[in-house]
Amino acid sequence: MERLSKLTILFLALIWIYLIVKRSKFFLHMMQLEGYKEEQYRKWLQKSNNAYTERLKKNVIYILIITILFMIVAVFFNGNGSIRLPIWILYNILWIICIVPTSNSKDEEVKKPLVFTSRAKRLYATNLVLNVVLVLIAYIFYTKITNDNLFYFPTMLLIVTLLYYFQSETIFLSNVIIKPVENNINMRYFQQAQEKIRSMEDLHVVGITGSFGKTSTKFITGTILNEKYRVLNTPESYNTPMGLSMVINNQLNEEHQVFIAEMGARYIGDIKELAKLTRPRIGVITSIGPTHLETFKNLDNIMKTKYELIEELPTDGVAIFNYDDEHIKKLADKTFKEKILYGIDNPDELDVYAEEVEVSEIGSTFTIRDKKGNSIRCTTKLLGKHNIYNILAGVSVALAMGLNLQEIKKGIKKIQPVPHRLNIINPGTGVIIIDDAFNSNPIGAKAALDVLSQFKEGRKIIVTPGMVELGTREEEANRELGVNIGKVCDFTILIGEKRTIPIYEGLMETGYNEDNIYVVKNLEEATKIIQRIARPKDVILFENDLPDNYNE
């Protein structure tokens, strides 16, 4: 009997450890996506609610009920071991039946996967240690009360079940515990990167910021500058102090002549911090729009934050502005440093502009001119008029860096689409897919629909969950998206029953055929719909993929 109970306890403990490791990893991922900021993580927790959470909550309640029932029976049959043992075994079986299905072991593909950085590993380890400490405290407490394994062990199982359920809180607490250590490490890492930049006197640093378009502009600029310089771009969407510090400390070396730093922001002061780290001599503002309004609150704060890049440029620095953007125009007009204005709409006011623009489903052809009357005719594989603006930003940087127009033309020809940003995928089925899954702003979504409208053959299908992080403007923006979809698309697949209601309403405003609207719960269901309705020559636009930490 004693050996059986010990083996059973060991087996159940292993199950619990597996569950804790699995569930804590999920919340570690969410904490990482929120930048390890407790306030942002707490906001996410308040909004987070899905079928998995509800199932887990229900099963925990079941465990609570069967634990109470077991205690009543165990006390009632206190002296009858032959009755208590089968009940104890039954309890353990019921616990396993209730808890194992909550492991959510199916790993879904995520937009931005968990990266086990040194910080993530430290937080993960801290959380696991915290769990062990809490279990030991509970174990010591209960062994002081009773030595009867059959009596106290179900209570311990209930405690570890509750601990499993509240991994969201233990990760939060672990983050608070380890924060002083992380702040110290981050500061030393930041200062190391800052000192490295200062020591590289011949290095040219280009800072790029904007509400959208900054990642594409970064890669475009890097491709063009590669015609003359040895360039290092920050990879993917590395645009935070620690992301940039990691690139500088680990990848930047004396061979590099140019460092292009993408700069992201969620709060006022974020761009200033990045500019003090990288010390750019050239600063580019690509766009200003309603992104991250949940933290910025209004467009004025966004404008103020993006302009921090220009304010931090040295007196001999060069400020580069998208002058067709009405918000950026205001910033450019108050700037007295050397500046380059680029755009399309008003050539007389611009230093660099594009004209004779021909946009099609296979790319764009256009002429770039400068203020002196020089020009080049260019072709690019990039889709959409908005990408011409991104190219103009790269051309402006190249001119400031001394490249001639022929070098610039060669660089433009080599530009490749950035993954998940309006790039075409041909799976060989005759159906064309446009992947714009990284987009999440009104202007970008409209640009994607403009690209879709360029396709002359086949029916047009859009798959979208709508847009988030637009604060009070979210509902209005999604309704407008619905109106724009109604003008272009033959079929609409909406992911998410609640958040896509404004899109549905916008579609109805255009007199859209209700039979051609499909509302599904997830991408898997959307794929089944596509398999049923799509046929050769159809074009499918995947517009926006919501963050992994977003729940309806």
Side-chain angles (χ1 to χ4, degrees), residues 254-468:
E254 295 295 336
E255 293 182 359
H256 294 119
Q257 297 170 296
V258 179
F259 176 53
I260 304 177
E262 177 184 338
M263 299 181 176
R266 284 177 174 265
Y267 298 92
I268 293 173
D270 283 355
I271 300 296
K272 183 177 182 179
E273 182 181 12
L274 293 169
K276 288 189 177 299
L277 167 64
T278 57
R279 303 177 72 200
R281 194 187 72 82
I282 298 174
V284 183
I285 303 182
T286 63
S287 56
I288 289 178
T291 57
H292 302 309
L293 280 175
E294 287 188 346
T295 52
F296 279 121
K297 307 303 181 187
N298 55 59
L299 273 173
D300 287 340
N301 286 338
I302 295 174
M303 291 173 65
K304 180 179 179 181
T305 303
K306 302 304 179 186
Y307 196 66
E308 290 169 359
L309 172 58
I310 309 305
E311 291 175 326
E312 291 298 318
L313 294 177
T315 54
D316 63 343
V318 181
I320 298 175
F321 299 98
N322 176 2
Y323 207 62
D324 284 358
D325 186 302
E326 59 177 325
H327 304 296
I328 295 178
K329 188 176 188 296
K330 295 176 184 177
L331 300 178
D333 288 343
K334 72 175 186 178
T335 301
F336 294 99
K337 293 174 182 176
E338 181 182 350
K339 55 190 174 184
I340 298 176
L341 309 179
Y342 69 87
I344 297 174
D345 297 339
N346 301 294
D348 294 340
E349 299 177 338
L350 304 171
D351 299 297
V352 180
Y353 59 93
E355 61 181 16
E356 301 166 3
V357 176
E358 299 173 12
V359 178
S360 73
E361 72 261 27
I362 60 171
S364 304
T365 302
F366 50 93
T367 299
I368 292 179
R369 299 186 186 276
D370 65 16
K371 215 172 189 179
K372 299 174 184 177
N374 302 310
S375 67
I376 46 173
R377 188 69 176 165
C378 301
T379 300
T380 179
K381 300 174 187 175
L382 302 185
L383 301 176
K385 184 179 177 182
H386 69 291
N387 267 319
I388 296 177
Y389 282 100
N390 296 336
I391 290 172
L392 286 170
V395 170
S396 300
V397 174
L399 290 173
M401 292 287 296
L403 274 74
N404 61 49
L405 288 181
Q406 291 308 310
E407 289 171 325
I408 290 171
K409 181 175 181 177
K410 286 172 61 180
I412 291 173
K413 193 172 182 180
K414 295 176 182 177
I415 295 169
Q416 296 295 321
V418 180
H420 310 304
R421 290 170 174 85
L422 271 181
N423 55 310
I424 291 181
I425 301 170
N426 190 342
T429 60
V431 176
I432 297 171
I433 294 173
I434 303 177
D435 179 4
D436 198 38
F438 211 90
N439 228 327
S440 60
N441 63 81
I443 294 176
K446 190 173 186 301
L449 288 169
D450 287 341
V451 168
L452 185 61
S453 69
Q454 300 294 323
F455 287 80
K456 306 305 180 187
E457 293 187 276
R459 300 169 305 169
K460 299 169 182 64
I461 303 169
I462 186 171
V463 181
T464 183
M467 296 172 284
V468 296

Side-chain angles (χ1 to χ4, degrees), residues 99-114:
I99 205 70
V100 170
T102 67
S103 66
N104 199 30
S105 58
K106 181 182 178 182
D107 292 320
E108 297 180 357
E109 184 179 349
V110 293
K111 182 176 180 182
K112 192 173 182 180
L114 171 65

Side-chain angles (χ1 to χ4, degrees), residues 32 56 86 113 139 142 155 175 198 204 208 215 225 229 251 293 298 300 310 336 357 377 393 409 454 488 511 534:
Q32 187 178 76
L56 176 58
Y139 179 78
Y142 274 99
T155 307
N175 199 60
R198 285 176 181 167
H204 297 275
I208 298 175
T215 301
L225 292 182
Y229 298 101
Q251 298 182 35
L293 280 175
N298 55 59
D300 287 340
I310 309 305
F336 294 99
V357 176
R377 188 69 176 165
K409 181 175 181 177
Q454 300 294 323
V488 176

